[in-house]
Amino acid sequence: MRLILLGPPGAGKGTQASRLVELYKIVQLSTGDMLRAEVAAKSAIGLEAKAIMDRGELVRDDILVAMIAHRIDQDDCRHGFILDGFPRTIAQADSLALMLSNKGMNLDVVIELKVDDAALLARIEKRVADDAASGRSVRADDNSETLKKRLLAYRQQTAPLVSYYEAKGLLNSIDGMQPVDVVWQDITTILAEK
Ligand code: AMP
């Protein structure tokens, strides 16, 4: 099972991906998490990516493509993976298609979580408040100023992937504003049909 979870920041991709990891015993590849690990390690990539992430902009395609290419070659990905936060541009999607076909692999499905901008802002603000209240560290890019830029990046650079994958017959869209368990039910229904 190789699938992409597509959706704006705060749409619930991470939550649903964790459930998929449990159910299908496949790995979650979150490029946001990978980049945050690079930032924490102060690697060359991390040093370059930090300011871009803090501004809510997208990190260079070639960095992300190299990161994913390296990751999917690892042994734990042989049964499948969930791409969470990648691809985010058409160029990344084209590179992914090439990468997979070179390995004789294919994508099974793309699931889009649709959520409107006002709901996203409310969700992220709640995440920040909850994290602060429970003493967890708040993500540097979780604030309404940066979120607006992340949403703009999504609408301008990532949303074109919806029609890209629709044209390939891979797209399934779900109303991401439903309760988490209903979204989960919709996802498992889609996957059961694959
Ligand atoms: P996320 O945790 O997926 O919201 O990602 C956090 C930040 O990491 C994004 O706002 C981008 O700056 C960067 N990032 C994550 N994935 C990608 C990607 N596929 N392409 C470009 N930048 C990315």
Side-chain angles (χ1 to χ4, degrees), residues 31-32 35-36 53 57 59 64 85-86 88 92 139 150:
T31 45
L35 286 169
R36 283 184 285 277
M53 293 168 73
E57 294 168 8
V59 177
L64 273 297
F86 181 93
R88 258 181 160 94
Q92 290 180 16
R139 275 175 54 173
R150 286 161 68 203

